[in-house]
């Protein structure tokens, strides 16, 4: 959606921020043996969740072997887990499964994405990361082909079938004041990664935009979302960040490849492995800049990518049992990561979600700024 065409007062739905400190803002059914993957039915949901471990270097592969041998990785509710090393599996992958080698070959980071946990079917990638955070290296990622108990805002479940890129990864931070901004860095890195992959493949540019605080949109439809949670331990914030992105699955809204097909007559498509590698290549650079200099160096690019600069919204407030509506104009972000807006009286204010409503125009609470 071209920025200039964004319509004021257009009804929008948004996921509200999941930020609080120190606890932050906050797929097909397969089993396989070391030699092959075989199909299974939905009735076999009690079967162990298979986790395949792989590292970019010998260091990560040694860690993978240790985690397997010591039976270290756990899932919530004592769910059964079967752990395999990628090096143990002989030609197990079907074409539609996540291609680990392709991902690793496209990865050029020094930390993020270097250690991979992949599963053909998981309740939630976020649970794998958050429940094993201290056992995993910073930047470790868990990806799944199918996710049936994914986590969304306000304990919502996010079911994701094949065709979605679903992953969660570990981040560690020390400055709690900037922790709420990490979801913006993650969102921005994904929109830029999509641009990079399209450019590299000679494909038309896809205009994926950010809807504050953590949704990704294309052509006015939601195509993805971001979830970040954190815990505070040993004077550090352990952040579990996750993304769900519709790459090749048009339901329930749309997907990147559907948008791409409208722009080209060719059969070229975007692939999850390329997008995941491009994301980490971009995120690592953004994150280092963010940690060293704050969010300010990324603000201009972020504002070019989001949907809200100059947007006018109605804020509903109650005064002596009387409902009062005020119109404000969004200008950017405040230092705490919420929306900065100005009223028609030039009064500067900060907009917070009310914690209940999903309606962008009725789910914001105004706090006046001095």
């Amino acid at each position: 959606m071209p920025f200039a065409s964004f319509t004021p007062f257009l009804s929008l739905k948004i996921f509200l921020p999941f930020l609080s400190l120190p606890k932050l803002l906050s797929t097909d059914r397969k089993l396989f043996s070391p030699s092959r993957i075989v199909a299974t039915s939905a009735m076999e949901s009690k079967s162990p969740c298979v986790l395949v471990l792989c590292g970019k270097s010998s260091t990560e592969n040694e860690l993978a072997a240790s985690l397997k041998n010591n039976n270290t990785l756990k899932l919530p509710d004592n769910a059964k887990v079967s752990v395999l090393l990628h090096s143990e599996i002989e030609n197990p992958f079907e074409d539609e499964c996540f291609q680990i080698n392709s991902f690793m070959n496209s990865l050029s980071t020094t930390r993020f994405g270097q250690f991979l946990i992949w599963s053909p079917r998981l309740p939630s990638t976020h649970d794998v990361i958050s429940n094993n955070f201290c056992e995993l290296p910073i930047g470790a990622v868990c990806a799944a082909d199918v996710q049936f108990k994914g986590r969304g805002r306000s304990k919502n479940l996010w079911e994701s079938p094949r065709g979605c890129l679903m992953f969660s990864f570990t981040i560690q931070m020390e400055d709690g004041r900037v922790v709420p901004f990490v979801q913006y860095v993650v969102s921005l890195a994904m929109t830029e990664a999509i641009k990079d992959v399209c450019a590299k493949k000679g494909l038309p540019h896809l205009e994926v935009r950010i809807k504050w605080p953590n949704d990704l949109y294309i052509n006015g439809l939601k195509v993805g979302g971001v979830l970040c949670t954190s815990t505070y331990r040993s004077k550090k914030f352990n952040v579990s960040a996750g993304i769900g992105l519709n790459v090749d699955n048009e339901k329930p809204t749309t997907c990147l490849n559907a948008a791409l097909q409208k722009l080209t007559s060719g059969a070229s498509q975007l692939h999850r492995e390329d997008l995941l590698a491009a994301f980490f290549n971009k995120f690592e650079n953004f994150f280092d800049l963010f940690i060293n200099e704050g969010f300010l160096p990324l603000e201009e690019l972020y504002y070019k990518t989001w949907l809200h600069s100059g947007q006018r919204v109605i804020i509903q407030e109650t005064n002596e049992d009387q409902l009062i509506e005020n119109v404000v104009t969004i200008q950017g972000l405040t230092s705490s990561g919420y929306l900065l807006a100005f009223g028609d009286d030039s009064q500067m204010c900060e907009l917070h979600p009310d914690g209940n409503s999903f309606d962008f125009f009725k789910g914001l609470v105004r706090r006046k700024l001095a």
Side-chain angles (χ1 to χ4, degrees):
M1 178 190 300
F3 178 74
S5 70
F6 186 77
T7 306
F9 302 112
L10 175 67
S11 180
L12 292 175
K13 302 285 186 180
I14 97 171
F15 279 154
L16 303 179
F18 32 83
L19 306 175
S20 62
L21 296 176
K23 195 166 184 177
L24 181 71
L25 336 175
S26 218
T27 166
D28 273 309
R29 301 158 178 89
K30 302 268 186 177
L31 288 175
F32 66 93
S33 66
S35 61
R36 60 192 293 262
I37 295 178
V38 295
T40 187
S41 70
M43 297 301 293
E44 296 173 319
S45 58
K46 294 184 180 180
S47 299
C49 290
V50 177
L51 302 179
V52 179
L53 311 185
C54 182
K56 178 78 171 178
S57 71
S58 58
T59 301
E60 286 87 23
N61 283 319
E62 288 173 4
L63 173 60
S66 176
L67 292 174
K68 179 196 173 183
N69 294 336
N70 295 323
N71 195 28
T72 303
L73 299 179
K74 308 297 181 183
L75 288 179
D77 303 321
N78 295 317
K80 296 180 180 179
V81 179
S82 177
V83 178
L84 293 172
L85 302 181
H86 183 233
S87 58
E88 295 176 334
I89 305 171
E90 299 176 2
N91 302 319
F93 302 112
E94 298 177 358
D95 291 340
E96 66 268 25
C97 291
F98 187 87
Q99 301 297 305
I100 294 178
N101 289 335
S102 178
F103 163 69
M104 287 295 180
N105 290 337
S106 298
L107 191 68
S108 60
T109 62
T110 59
R111 303 186 311 284
F112 289 98
Q114 294 273 316
F115 185 88
L116 170 70
I117 303 171
W118 169 76
S119 178
R121 185 174 186 267
L122 267 183
S124 166
T125 62
H126 209 86
D127 283 346
V128 173
I129 290 298
S130 60
N131 280 269
N132 299 282
F133 195 102
C134 295
E135 309 296 336
L136 300 173
I138 300 304
V141 57
C142 178
D145 288 347
V146 174
Q147 180 175 264
F148 56 92
K149 286 186 180 179
R151 295 172 59 182
R153 195 196 72 87
S154 298
K155 299 182 180 180
N156 291 327
L157 293 181
W158 185 275
E159 296 187 6
S160 304
R162 279 197 185 277
C164 298
L165 172 60
M166 297 160 291
F167 68 96
S168 301
F169 64 103
T170 60
I171 307 171
Q172 195 167 70
M173 304 172 65
E174 297 183 358
D175 187 353
R177 294 170 298 178
V178 300
V179 169
F181 286 86
V182 73
Q183 62 178 335
Y184 308 147
V185 181
V186 172
S187 300
L188 186 60
M190 180 52 76
T191 61
E192 291 299 299
I194 294 169
K195 292 179 185 177
D196 285 355
V197 174
C198 287
K200 184 177 180 180
K201 291 179 172 290
L203 299 172
H205 172 71
L206 291 179
E207 193 71 22
V208 178
R209 310 299 294 274
I210 298 170
K211 183 155 76 68
W212 184 85
N214 59 341
D215 284 344
L216 302 176
Y217 269 62
I218 189 169
N219 300 328
L221 296 173
K222 182 176 177 179
V223 75
V226 175
L227 173 70
C228 296
T229 62
S230 80
T231 57
Y232 187 67
R233 181 174 181 175
S234 301
K235 298 183 179 181
K236 292 184 179 181
F237 293 89
N238 294 334
V239 182
S240 301
I243 291 184
L245 182 68
N246 286 351
V247 178
D248 199 32
N249 182 7
E250 296 187 51
K251 296 180 179 181
T253 57
T254 190
C255 66
L256 297 182
N257 283 332
L260 190 61
Q261 289 170 6
K262 295 178 180 179
L263 300 176
T264 179
S265 58
S268 297
Q269 289 189 328
L270 298 175
H271 300 288
R272 294 175 299 155
E273 301 84 359
D274 296 333
L275 290 168
L276 184 57
F279 167 79
F280 282 122
N281 294 341
K282 184 65 67 174
F283 177 79
E284 185 165 281
N285 292 330
F286 282 178
F287 185 73
D288 288 344
L289 183 63
F290 171 60
I291 291 299
N292 293 326
E293 303 181 36
F295 191 68
L296 185 60
L298 298 172
E299 268 193 357
E300 183 178 356
L301 180 58
Y302 183 81
Y303 291 148
K304 287 181 179 178
T305 308
W306 81 338
L307 292 167
H308 306 298
S309 294
Q311 179 186 0
R312 291 170 62 80
V313 299
I314 299 174
I315 304 299
Q316 294 182 336
E317 299 173 310
T318 302
N319 185 9
E320 297 181 353
D321 296 327
Q322 204 171 23
L323 185 64
I324 300 174
E325 292 187 343
N326 296 290
V327 179
V328 299
T329 303
I330 298 173
Q331 296 295 328
L333 297 172
T334 67
S335 60
S336 56
Y338 291 102
L339 294 176
L340 174 65
F342 287 85
D344 290 342
D345 57 359
S346 298
Q347 175 68 49
M348 183 170 59
C349 61
E350 185 177 61
L351 303 182
H352 296 237
D354 67 5
N356 297 306
S357 176
F358 282 90
D359 191 299
F360 187 76
F361 297 96
K362 297 179 181 179
L364 295 172
V365 176
R366 179 172 62 168
R367 183 173 75 87
K368 291 184 179 180
L369 298 176

